[in-house]
Amino acid sequence: MLSYNDHVALAVSGGKDSLTLLNILVKLERKFPQSKITAVCVDEGIEGYREEALNLAAKECERLNVRRLVVSYRELFGTTTDEIVKRDLEKAPCSYCGVLRRKAINKAAALIGATKIATGHNLDDEVQTVLLNMLHGDPLRIVRSGPVLSDVRGKFLTRIKPLCDIPEREIVLYAYLNGLQFQTVACPHSNEALRNDLRTFLNQMELKHPGTKFTLLRTSQRLRELVIKTPRPLELNACEKCGDPTPHKYCEACLMLAIA
Ligand code: SF4
Ligand code: ZN
C-alpha cells in the first residue's frame, strides 16, 4: 500500500479508526525519513457533533507533531450537511455528505501535493459495505471499492485502507490500550438502519462461525480480481461545472449541489 517516500493525506475524523491509523502511520513514518503524513480533517458543518471530533483530532495531531489541514464544506462547496438535510432530499443525508467528503479529501490531498490518500475503514466497515452493495443491487460498486483503489487513468490519487482487515474490536482495544481519546457520539443525521442490521447479523455470524468476516472480505477481493480482468475502464470527461473527472456530463458532487 505504501512506498518509502509517500506523502500520505490521512483522513482524520476524530473517531477511533482514524486516530488509531494515525498513531500507527506515525510510527512507520519515523522509520522512513522521506515519507510524510498530513492529517486531513473535514468539517461537514454539523452543529453539536463535528466540533468535538475536530478538537480531538487537533489534540492528537499536536501530541504526535503531525501537520493538519482542515477543509470545510462551507468554504469548498458553499453549503453544509446541516443545510443540505433541511431540503427535501431523495436520498439519505449520508449519500450527499459522503460524496462531498470524498471530493473534499481529494481537493485537500491535491492542495498539499499528497501521493496517496489513506482512510481508517476497518474489516467490519468493509464487509458491511460489501453486503450493502449486494442488497442495493449494485455489485459493481464492490469492484470500485477495496483496500487499494488506484485509477488506471491516473486522474485520481490512489486511496488505501490500511486497516481493512483489522476487526473493529481490535481497533477499539488498540485505542483503549494506548489511551486515545476518540469521539463516541453518533452523527445526528446518520440513518444507517440497514448497515446496523448488517453489523448485528455479521457479529452473530462471526460468533457462530468464526472467520465469516475475513471470508467475505476475501470473496470480495476475488470478485474484484475477476471483474478487473474483463471490462475496459470507463471513459472519463471533465465535469462541465468543476472540471473533475466524471463518466457523465457533471460529476456526482456538482449534481448533488445543484439539487441541494
Ligand atoms: Fe455525514 Fe452521514 Fe457521516 Fe453524518 S453519518 S457525517 S451525515 S456521512
Ligand atoms: Zn463537478
Side-chain angles (χ1 to χ4, degrees):
M1 285 188 182
L2 292 161
S3 303
Y4 70 96
N5 57 354
D6 265 330
H7 178 182
V8 180
L10 170 60
V12 178
S13 67
K16 62 184 184 332
D17 303 306
S18 60
L19 292 180
T20 292
L21 183 57
L22 175 67
N23 273 263
I24 294 169
L25 285 185
V26 164
K27 282 187 189 162
L28 282 173
E29 183 206 23
R30 289 183 184 146
K31 291 189 191 162
F32 296 91
Q34 290 188 52
S35 66
K36 227 200 251 186
I37 300 172
T38 303
V40 173
C41 301
V42 180
D43 182 358
E44 302 93 345
I46 303 173
E47 225 185 296
Y49 165 71
R50 188 42 85 207
E51 298 87 346
E52 186 202 4
L54 286 172
N55 283 339
L56 291 169
K59 271 193 205 155
E60 193 60 5
C61 288
E62 209 171 298
R63 187 179 77 83
L64 296 169
N65 200 17
V66 170
R67 279 166 302 266
R68 192 171 61 100
L69 173 67
V70 182
V71 287
S72 72
Y73 285 7
R74 166 72 69 214
E75 93 198 33
L76 292 177
F77 311 123
T79 187
T80 64
T81 296
D82 276 347
E83 286 176 5
I84 290 174
V85 299
K86 283 189 193 136
R87 316 286 162 99
D88 192 14
L89 300 173
E90 270 178 33
K91 299 181 190 172
C94 298
S95 305
Y96 299 88
C97 189
V99 167
L100 295 185
R101 182 179 305 107
R102 248 193 330 272
K103 196 171 178 76
I105 293 169
N106 282 340
K107 277 179 182 268
L111 206 68
I112 57 176
T115 55
K116 299 230 168 89
I117 294 172
T119 59
H121 295 91
N122 62 43
L123 174 67
D124 294 65
D125 298 327
E126 286 302 281
V127 293
Q128 286 157 19
T129 304
V130 168
L131 292 188
L132 268 176
N133 287 327
M134 303 282 256
L135 295 179
H136 284 149
D138 196 359
L140 278 184
R141 205 170 261 273
I142 296 171
V143 181
R144 298 200 301 268
S145 57
V148 178
L149 194 63
S150 33
D151 178 12
V152 284
R153 298 148 297 208
K155 299 197 177 185
F156 288 107
L157 278 184
T158 297
R159 298 177 85 97
I160 57 169
K161 298 176 186 168
L163 301 180
C164 72
D165 59 359
I166 310 295
E168 183 170 38
R169 54 195 303 175
E170 290 186 22
I171 293 173
V172 176
L173 185 63
Y174 182 99
Y176 278 122
L177 288 177
N178 287 277
L180 304 186
Q181 268 191 296
F182 55 87
Q183 190 176 41
T184 48
V185 297
C187 168
H189 306 310
S190 99
N191 177 7
E192 303 207 298
L194 188 51
R195 185 178 280 274
N196 287 338
D197 287 346
L198 289 173
R199 174 179 293 120
T200 307
F201 165 71
L202 284 164
N203 285 342
Q204 285 168 348
M205 288 295 284
E206 186 66 37
L207 208 62
K208 279 191 180 172
H209 311 281
T212 295
K213 292 178 189 174
F214 284 113
T215 306
L216 253 176
L217 187 77
R218 299 223 171 85
T219 302
S220 68
Q221 275 163 1
R222 278 191 207 123
L223 274 175
R224 208 167 288 124
E225 283 158 19
L226 279 177
V227 176
I228 283 169
K229 278 186 198 149
T230 36
R232 291 211 335 255
L234 279 173
E235 289 292 324
L236 288 184
N237 315 307
C239 165
E240 289 196 6
K241 210 160 170 209
C242 75
D244 271 10
T246 169
H248 309 290
K249 194 171 171 191
Y250 299 106
C251 76
E252 218 177 340
C254 283
L255 281 177
M256 282 180 176
L257 288 166
I259 292 166

